[in-house]
Amino acid sequence: MRVGVVGAGILGLAVARQVGLVVEGAEVCVFEKEGRVGAHQTGRNSGVVHAGLYYVPGSLKARLCRRGAGLLRAYCRERGLAYAEVGKVVVARDGRELDGLAAIEERARANGVPGLRRLDAAALRDVEPHAAGVAALHSPATAIVDFGAVARAFAEDVETAGGTIRLGQEVTGLRRDGTRVRVLTPGGEHTFDRVVVCAGLQSDRVARMAGDAAEPAIIPFRGEYYRLTPARTDLVRGLIYPVPDPRYPFLGVHFTRRVDGGVDVGPNAVLALAREGYRRRDVRPADVLETLRWPGFGRLAARHWRTGIREVYGSAVKRAFAARARAFVPSLKAADLVPAPAGVRAQAVDADGSLVDDFRVGHLGPIVTVRNAPSPAATSSLAIAEHLTTLLLDGERTH
Ligand SMILES: Cc1cc2nc3c(=O)[nH]c(=O)nc-3n(C[C@H](O)[C@H](O)[C@H](O)COP(=O)(O)OP(=O)(O)OC[C@H]3O[C@@H](n4cnc5c(N)ncnc54)[C@H](O)[C@@H]3O)c2cc1C
């Protein structure tokens, strides 16, 4: 069986690896438009292995995150990759956030998150001495990794198993040809029995090339980070998160210890004016037009313009960003923050303006398309790979 994969982010590589593991004699080829693997979301995120606190019980996110976190932990141990269970606190700053915290605790318990503890203000200070809040939820199993390094290890596994990774090869067309699929690139044409599309920020465009539905479209949201200066990294031991606003799939600006010892503060969520627009000045008129033309965008903007303006203000004014973070760590000063590289989230939006919450996958005969894979998709990558491989084979014999 010949299997083609579009995209060498963590998902495309995890699927290519999984197909190599379960399909005897499979020939796997991954196409990546950039010159290296993990160049977009996979290499530009918070690096948190989520334990499964927030997700609707029974959803794909809840199931695949729980399974994926366990698989990833075992994989990192086996491959000698950094994996540190630094633990996380979700902090309620005042009494108004207690109901939100209780709702998360209920979901986390339903999802089987291990080791959960409810903390009062004093117990919070024992875990995170510089954090302030009236109560918190502590998840000691939440961990940190370098997802870029994990993706590179997956790429090695693919090649060791005899698969090919074609870097600098943009897929420009996908054609169904009977039971087979032709993949078009500027360098030539390749035929496969099965194709999986894991194209991240371009996933709607590539899925449409394959004849998949227009809905949902990707709306890019940049997530900007600051980093604590080295002298101030002792302000944070592990991970400090706010109680998220249930209207949004984004978790809010948080403090994240990184495996390199640094501490990041972010990400915010600002509409990006280019799909791969990592800087404020990056504008791609074709991308902006596509966003504006998507009927769901107008509806989304009409509902959430106040939040949008607040995010843009926090992005433009460092003091505002610092004030938001200081609500959790009162001794933080704006001077403690230096800018760090941003990421852009591929957030799927339906035509009715709703932000797609769960992972979403399309299936068109021999083609499987990942249409929404935001956080915690990196955490869940090995479990998503199992799920996609089952869909892809759909009746084929595996061993
Ligand atoms: C700011 C931010 C913070 C996050 N934090 C976390 C976190 O802490 N924990 C977590 O679990 N998740 C987190 N995520 C989410 C996580 O990073 C993503 O869910 C995950 O990386 C998605 O992987 P992917 O392979 O689908 O996408 P990507 O990594 O974006 O890969 C897609 C690849 O497809 C390639 N491609 C696109 N079009 C084509 C084409 N036509 N031809 C060939 N190649 C193509 C791209 O170049 C790219 O390399 C975060 C994301 C962001 C942006």
Side-chain angles (χ1 to χ4, degrees):
M1 180 188 283
R2 302 197 71 222
V3 178
V5 178
V6 185
I10 199 164
L11 291 191
L13 293 166
V15 181
R17 176 181 175 277
Q18 180 70 11
V19 169
L21 285 176
V22 301
V23 185
E24 206 164 10
E27 272 180 55
V28 184
C29 179
V30 184
F31 296 89
E32 169 54 54
K33 68 184 171 69
E34 307 296 347
R36 61 191 167 97
V37 306
H40 291 294
Q41 296 176 93
T42 296
R44 298 164 173 272
N45 55 49
S46 296
V48 176
V49 182
H50 291 288
L53 272 71
Y54 308 98
Y55 318 117
V56 179
S59 63
L60 282 177
K61 272 188 177 175
R63 288 189 287 125
L64 300 178
C65 176
R66 290 288 311 123
R67 177 159 174 78
L71 293 172
L72 187 62
R73 182 172 184 262
Y75 182 81
C76 289
R77 292 246 160 107
E78 187 189 312
R79 294 294 307 256
L81 297 168
Y83 184 101
E85 284 184 353
V86 294
K88 152 174 172 170
V89 283
V90 180
V91 177
R93 286 166 303 175
D94 56 40
R96 286 169 301 178
E97 292 186 339
L98 289 175
D99 285 350
L101 192 68
I104 291 183
E105 182 171 2
E106 195 179 317
R107 279 192 178 176
R109 294 204 185 277
N111 291 337
V113 175
L116 280 181
R117 269 195 320 147
R118 186 67 178 255
L119 309 178
D120 60 17
L124 168 62
R125 275 194 302 277
D126 287 342
V127 178
E128 286 288 353
H130 296 277
V134 294
L137 188 61
H138 183 212
S139 160
T142 300
I144 51 172
V145 289
D146 174 351
F147 285 118
V150 173
R152 289 191 290 279
F154 289 172
E156 271 173 35
D157 294 347
V158 170
E159 290 182 326
T160 305
T164 313
I165 299 170
R166 293 175 181 269
L167 298 176
Q169 296 261 336
E170 179 165 1
V171 171
T172 51
L174 289 171
R175 306 272 180 276
R176 293 273 296 274
D177 193 354
T179 59
R180 314 190 84 198
V181 187
R182 286 188 294 133
V183 171
L184 279 47
T185 71
E189 205 178 293
H190 309 261
T191 304
F192 295 97
D193 301 298
R194 299 281 191 280
V195 166
V196 196
V197 177
C198 302
L201 288 153
Q202 311 291 338
S203 55
D204 53 344
R205 293 171 176 164
V206 181
R208 285 176 206 150
M209 284 178 199
D212 200 1
E215 182 178 67
I218 291 296
I219 305 290
F221 284 94
R222 190 170 52 251
E224 295 158 333
Y225 292 89
Y226 283 92
R227 182 158 280 205
L228 292 185
T229 56
R232 298 293 275 165
T233 53
D234 58 351
L235 285 178
V236 178
R237 285 185 177 162
L239 308 163
I240 304 176
Y241 276 66
V243 175
D245 183 333
R247 291 174 300 164
Y248 302 106
F250 313 131
L251 298 179
V253 165
H254 44 263
F255 290 79
T256 314
R257 189 160 277 281
R258 313 291 309 215
V259 291
D260 66 8
V263 175
D264 282 355
V265 188
N268 56 7
V270 189
L271 180 71
L273 301 180
R275 291 264 176 132
E276 289 153 7
Y278 296 104
R279 295 162 307 178
R280 248 174 266 151
R281 63 173 181 274
D282 290 338
V283 181
R284 206 170 160 264
D287 289 354
V288 178
L289 264 182
E290 204 176 323
T291 293
L292 293 177
R293 283 194 185 131
W294 179 245
F297 177 71
R299 296 180 180 124
L300 179 75
R303 264 176 240 154
H304 300 293
W305 60 272
R306 277 193 194 83
T307 309
I309 289 174
R310 206 184 57 219
E311 290 292 312
V312 169
Y313 181 64
S315 158
V317 180
K318 184 181 172 188
R319 269 183 304 109
F321 192 102
R324 199 164 153 191
R326 199 165 31 244
F328 299 91
V329 177
S331 48
L332 179 88
K333 298 187 197 68
D336 300 331
L337 299 173
V338 288
V344 180
R345 304 175 186 82
Q347 176 59 51
V349 176
D350 277 330
D352 68 2
S354 46
L355 293 153
V356 179
D357 187 40
D358 206 0
F359 299 147
R360 193 180 288 178
V361 177
H363 195 180
L364 307 131
I367 307 177
V368 169
T369 57
V370 174
R371 300 296 302 259
N372 191 48
S375 183
T379 299
S380 318
S381 52
L382 288 167
I384 293 177
E386 291 176 342
H387 179 72
L388 296 180
T389 304
T390 305
L391 283 179
L392 193 72
L393 299 177
D394 211 3
E396 290 287 332
R397 205 154 47 85
T398 61
H399 70 100

